[in-house]
Amino acid sequence: MTSCFILKKTNFTYYFYKVIKIQKIKKSKIESVNFDDLVFGKTFTDHMFICHYKNNEWLTPEIRPYQPLKLDPSASVLHYGQAVFEGMKAFKDSQEKIWLFRPDQNFERINRSAHRLQIPEFPRKYFFDGIKKLVKLEQAWIKKGEGNSLYIRPFVFASQPTVQASASDEYIFMIICAPVSTYYSGGEINVLIAEEYSRAANGGVGFAKAAGNYAAQFYPTSEALKKGFQQIIWTDANNHEYLEEAGTMNIFFKINDSLITAPTNDRILDGVTRKSIIEIAKSNGIKVEERPIKVSEIIQAHENGNLQEIFGTGTAVVVLPIKSFSYRGVSYKTNGIDELAIALKKQLIGIQYNQLEDLFNWTVKVD
Ligand code: COI
C-alpha cells in the first residue's frame, strides 16, 4: 500500500497523518508454537509496528515482519536508558471477537511517561490504528479461554547515534505482541518488604513506565528470589516506613473489610488494573481507602487478626494473591482465604473476556 496522508483538523491546527504501511510475512511461525507451554514474554507474533521520529516529526508508521533491529552502537538508549514502555492485553471472547482493555489509559500513560523522559509525544491516531491493525493481523495468536491473551508491548526509545548526555533527536516507537497465559505459575506469591534498596524517590520517575525503573529492581529482586520471595514490595526511600508498590504490580490490603492501597504519586505507577479494581470494588459497595499505609499497620493488623487479604494487581499478573510477606527477618503468613481477590478478579476478567456486561465502558472491540 502506498503511503498517503489523512488531514485532520484539531483546535485550529491541521495535522497530516500518514497511512500505516503494511508488509505481511510470507509464512507464519505460529505452527511451531506450543500454546500449552508458554513462558510469559518469550514468544512473539509474526509482525511488529515501527515508527521513526526524525527532524521533529513522526515518519510513516509501518507494520513489518517481526525482526531484529539495526541500531548504531552509540544509540542514545544504550547509554542513557531514555526509554519508556506500556503493557496492555487483547482478549478473544467465545464468539472469536477481539477486545482491548482500556487502551486509552495506556495511550495517556505512555505519553505521560514519555514527557517525563523528554521523549516526544506519540500521536493518538498512530497508537490506536497501529494497535488495532497489528492485533487484527495477529488474531490467530490470541487463544480463547480464561488466562489466555495477547500481551501488547508498546515502547519508545532514543535512537540517535550519540553519546552526548542529553535528550536524543531521534526515537523509535514500536509495538510487539506476545501470546501469554499466566505470569507466575502457581497463582500466589511470597513477598519481601524492602528495607535496604529503594525503587523510587520524590520528584523521580517512579510513576513512569521508564525502562530503568525495572532494571534497577533486577538485582534486589534476584537476591530476594534466592531467599524464596518472588517480588519485593517497595517502601518509601526515606525511612522504609510506608508501603508503595511491587514493580510489576500495585498492592492491596484488606483490613477489617476495607480495601486499602497506596495513593498514586510521583513514586507509584498509576496502574490500569489498580484503578479498575478500585472501581469494581466500589461498585460492589466495598469500602476502598487510597491512603499511605505503614508497614507497622500491616504487621499490627496481622497480629490482631484483622489482616484479611493481600494481593497485587497489574496487566501481566492480573490479580495475584500474596500468601506471605517478610519484614526484618520475620515472616507473616496471610490466612490463605483470598475471597475478595478471587471475586474482584472474576468480575475484571468477566469484562475483559466479554462475558459480563461492561458497565464501565472499558472494552474496545477490534474489528
Ligand atoms: C505489566 O503488567 O504490563 C508490566 O508492566 C509488568 C511487566 C514489567 C511484566
Side-chain angles (χ1 to χ4, degrees):
M1 189 195 288
T2 51
S3 177
C4 64
F5 297 97
I6 298 165
L7 192 64
K8 193 167 177 217
K9 189 177 173 215
T10 49
N11 295 341
F12 312 109
T13 314
Y14 285 98
Y15 288 110
F16 293 91
Y17 290 117
K18 294 128 193 153
V19 168
I20 301 176
K21 265 169 64 179
I22 301 180
Q23 185 202 342
K24 293 190 189 167
I25 40 112
K26 294 208 171 70
K27 183 168 170 16
S28 174
K29 58 186 182 222
I30 196 165
E31 273 158 31
S32 65
V33 175
N34 179 358
F35 282 85
D36 296 326
D37 192 24
L38 289 171
V39 178
F40 186 95
K42 297 251 187 196
T43 303
F44 295 93
T45 60
D46 290 321
H47 301 89
M48 63 189 202
F49 172 95
I50 184 160
C51 187
H52 291 261
Y53 182 91
K54 271 189 189 155
N55 302 323
N56 302 316
E57 65 161 336
W58 290 102
L59 306 180
T60 302
E62 289 179 54
I63 290 177
R64 290 184 196 157
Y66 189 96
Q67 60 194 274
L69 298 173
K70 201 169 162 237
L71 211 55
D72 195 284
S74 69
S76 184
V77 67
L78 302 177
H79 305 272
Y80 305 116
Q82 197 190 359
V84 299
F85 72 94
E86 267 307 318
M88 50 199 288
K89 279 178 175 170
F91 303 87
K92 197 175 256 178
D93 70 16
S94 55
Q95 318 280 295
E96 309 269 326
K97 290 191 208 106
I98 297 164
W99 301 89
L100 298 171
F101 184 70
R102 308 191 76 175
D104 51 320
Q105 295 289 328
N106 301 95
F107 169 71
E108 284 161 21
R109 195 172 59 186
I110 200 165
N111 276 337
R112 282 203 300 278
S113 301
H115 181 78
R116 178 62 180 82
L117 275 277
Q118 188 59 25
I119 295 173
E121 199 171 298
F122 195 62
R124 183 180 184 92
K125 182 164 174 56
Y126 290 169
F127 183 87
F128 281 93
D129 286 0
I131 286 182
K132 286 183 175 174
K133 284 194 160 58
L134 184 61
V135 168
K136 184 117 202 274
L137 206 55
E138 309 294 45
Q139 55 185 301
W141 292 81
I142 315 175
K143 297 297 168 196
K144 287 189 291 193
E146 192 183 315
N148 297 322
S149 62
L150 188 72
Y151 184 75
I152 305 167
R153 172 54 66 89
F155 59 107
V156 52
F157 60 91
S159 53
Q160 189 185 3
T162 175
V163 292
Q164 262 181 18
S166 55
S168 171
D169 282 342
E170 295 175 14
Y171 295 88
I172 301 179
F173 188 104
M174 298 191 67
I175 308 170
I176 54 174
C177 300
V180 295
S181 51
T182 49
Y183 190 78
Y184 291 107
S185 53
E188 48 183 18
I189 58 166
N190 303 303
V191 298
L192 180 69
I193 295 183
E195 296 161 49
E196 185 185 357
Y197 299 102
S198 306
R199 175 186 171 275
N202 292 336
V205 297
F207 72 91
K209 275 187 97 69
N213 282 346
Y214 294 78
Q217 297 175 64
F218 295 162
Y219 172 71
T221 306
S222 65
E223 290 298 294
L225 205 54
K226 286 183 201 156
K227 298 180 190 146
F229 306 106
Q230 287 76 24
Q231 278 283 303
I232 295 176
I233 300 187
W234 299 103
T235 47
D236 67 284
N238 298 333
N239 302 315
H240 298 291
E241 208 181 339
Y242 288 92
L243 294 150
E244 304 213 310
E245 59 145 285
T248 56
M249 50 193 194
N250 296 103
I251 302 292
F252 286 82
F253 302 89
K254 185 183 169 200
I255 298 177
N256 285 332
D257 293 329
S258 258
L259 197 53
I260 311 171
T261 192
T264 53
N265 53 33
D266 55 3
R267 303 183 308 276
I268 299 179
L269 187 86
D270 182 14
V272 180
T273 314
R274 173 190 179 278
K275 62 171 64 157
S276 307
I277 286 296
I278 290 175
E279 287 181 63
I280 293 173
K282 284 184 178 166
S283 74
N284 282 291
I286 293 160
K287 186 176 167 207
V288 181
E289 299 174 48
E290 291 179 69
R291 61 162 174 85
I293 319 155
K294 280 189 169 177
V295 183
S296 57
E297 179 182 348
I298 301 303
I299 293 174
Q300 185 82 66
H302 180 272
E303 278 163 9
N304 297 341
N306 296 330
L307 176 63
Q308 296 158 302
E309 290 183 45
I310 310 179
F311 60 87
T313 61
T315 299
V317 301
V318 194
V319 176
L320 185 68
I322 292 174
K323 65 177 181 204
S324 80
F325 66 92
S326 178
Y327 185 64
R328 298 202 170 142
V330 184
S331 182
Y332 304 85
K333 260 194 178 1
T334 52
N335 63 14
I337 303 164
D338 302 307
E339 202 178 21
L340 183 59
I342 292 166
L344 293 172
K345 180 177 176 184
K346 202 164 166 212
Q347 287 189 44
L348 175 73
I349 63 177
I351 296 170
Q352 291 176 327
Y353 287 91
N354 191 33
Q355 291 160 340
L356 294 178
E357 195 185 346
D358 178 13
L359 297 169
F360 304 94
N361 228 352
W362 284 338
T363 53
V364 173
K365 195 158 155 216
V366 178
D367 35 32

